[in-house]
Structures are given as C-alpha cells and as structure tokens.
Amino acid sequence: MTVSTSTYRTPARWLHWSMAALILAMIPAGVIMIQEGLNRPLQNTLFIFHKNVGVLLLLMVALRLLYRWRNPPPPEPAGLPGWQTKIAGMTHMLLYGLLVLMPVAGYTRVKAGGFPVETLDALGVPSLVPRSDALAAFAKAVHYYGSWAIAILVAMHIGAALFHRFVKKDAVFARMWPGAST
Ligand code: HEM
Ligand code: HEM
C-alpha cells in the first residue's frame, strides 16, 4: 500500500496503537490492583501484568523515540491554528516524558522495596537500584502523581483526536489512522 507523506509511517502507527492499547489497560489495572479486599489471585495477576507490561512499555517508548528521531512526524496539516499545533506538540512531549517517568518510577518503587519484576528477574537482570525504603516511598509518590498526570493528558489527547475525527472532520486523525475518511 502506498502511504502519502502526510501520514505517520507504518512503524510509527503500529507503535502508537499498540502502546495506546497497552496504556489504556495499564491505568485501570494499576488502579484496580491496589484496591483493598481484592481477590488475591486476581490481584497477583494484575500486579504481574502491570509490572512486566510497564517495563515492556519503557522499551517501546525508547524504540518510538529513536524511530521518531530518524523519521520525524509528517508536516502539520495546513490550516490548523498555531495555538492548536503548539498545544498538541506540548501534550505529545509531556506524554513521552511521562511514558519514561512512569515505568522508571514504578520499577524503582518495586525494586527498591525488595519486590520482584518477574521477567527481568527470570532473564537474570540485576536490580538497577539499591534496596531502600526511603527511595521506594519517594518513587511510589512520583508514580502516584504521575499516574494522575498521564491519565489527564491521555483523556485530553483522546478527546482532541475524536474532536478532529468526528466534529472538525479534518485530516488530523487520518495522519495516525490512514484510511479514516475525513
Ligand atoms: C507507562 C507505564 C505505567 C503506567 C501508566 C502506570 C500506571 C499506574 C497507575 C494508574 C497506578 C495506580 C495509582 C498509584 O497508586 O500509583 C499504578 C500503581 C502501581 N504501579 Fe504502575 N504504571 C506504569 C508502570 C509501572 C511499572 C513498570 C511498574 C513496576 C515495574 C509499576 C508498578 C506499580 C506499583 C507497584 C503500583 C502500586 C503502587 C503502590 O501503591 O505501591 N508501574 N501504576
Ligand atoms: C492511550 C494512550 C495514548 C498515548 C500515550 C498517545 C500518544 C501519542 C503521541 C505521543 C503522539 C504524537 C506522535 C508523534 O508525533 O511522535 C500521538 C499522536 C496521535 N494520536 Fe495518540 N496516544 C494515545 C491514544 C490515542 C487514541 C486512543 C487516539 C484516537 C482516539 C489517538 C490518536 C492520535 C492521533 C490522531 C495522533 C496524530 C496527531 C497528529 O496529527 O500529529 N491516540 N499520540
């Protein structure tokens, strides 16, 4: 299939949509797994999913940023007001920042607290942070406030994407989902 240069390239789109699906699962998993009185086996499954998929997301965002550096996004669609492209650009940068911060804080909270990250442990990866209750408590707070920030930004981002797709019916959504009729 030929893809016009006004759309994101195929690897960028695959990474965007697979990361989006994982993040949309990670946020509720994180919230549900810390609820008091939750059924134990379900809680363990959610914790294992959350920790290991969180580490996978860190690798995916590193890949995405590397790919983005070598293959910059397509030029902005013509006719978008400057303030909108500025806000979109800032939101995207903040999302990338949080997508690095959240796994790093989560990993630090778990490892400094003396808990496992199953896949990394099975691969023999040594802990990259020292065992420290103070560090674990700090990382836990960073992860907690970061989770609010990422949830709010993701909601704004999805709202903006759907607004472009269904209300303004312009070319923005189709940049990430080619074939979406405008
Ligand atoms: C993009 C990646 C991630 C997102 C969006 C995310 C999101 C969340 C959310 C929304 C919560 C519930 C609110 C809170 O108590 O903080 C949470 C909790 C938690 N997350 Fe993550 N997380 C991510 C990565 C990770 C990773 C990589 C780990 C560990 C390896 C991790 C470990 C935890 C733990 C242990 C909790 C429970 C916090 C506690 O009460 O001790 N997270 N996460
Ligand atoms: C859930 C987590 C999501 C995250 C973290 C996320 C993150 C991002 C980021 C960082 C970009 C900028 C790409 C770049 O220039 O490098 C982007 C672009 C885009 N996203 Fe998402 N996204 C998410 C979900 C969604 C969803 C559910 C939709 C649709 C309803 C969507 C629609 C779009 C569109 C249309 C673009 C292209 C905007 C443009 O024209 O530049 N995203 N997303």
Side-chain angles (χ1 to χ4, degrees), residues 109 136-146:
R109 187 263 175 274
F138 173 71
K140 177 175 166 170
V142 171
H143 198 74
Y144 174 75
Y145 290 113

Side-chain angles (χ1 to χ4, degrees), residues 22 34 63 70 78 147 153:
L22 291 177
I34 54 172
L63 192 65
R70 305 301 299 177
S147 71
L153 281 173

Side-chain angles (χ1 to χ4, degrees), residues 22-24 26-35 47 50-58 98-111 115-117 120 136 139-148 150-151:
L22 291 177
I23 292 159
L24 289 178
M26 283 290 285
I27 297 176
V31 172
I32 295 168
M33 74 194 191
I34 54 172
Q35 299 307 313
F47 258 101
H50 188 90
K51 289 186 289 178
N52 295 284
V53 170
V55 171
L56 175 66
L57 272 165
L58 181 61
L98 284 163
L99 285 174
V100 173
L101 182 74
M102 288 301 285
V104 170
Y107 174 89
T108 307
R109 187 263 175 274
V110 168
K111 279 293 175 185
F115 300 103
V117 177
L120 295 182
K140 177 175 166 170
V142 171
H143 198 74
Y144 174 75
Y145 290 113
S147 71
W148 278 101
I150 199 166

Side-chain angles (χ1 to χ4, degrees), residues 8 16-17 20 64 68 73 92 96 157 161 172-173 175-176:
Y8 283 87
H16 174 273
W17 291 111
R64 172 70 185 109
R68 191 182 201 273
H92 296 159
Y96 283 133
H157 176 75
V172 170
F173 190 84
R175 278 153 66 81
M176 199 46 104

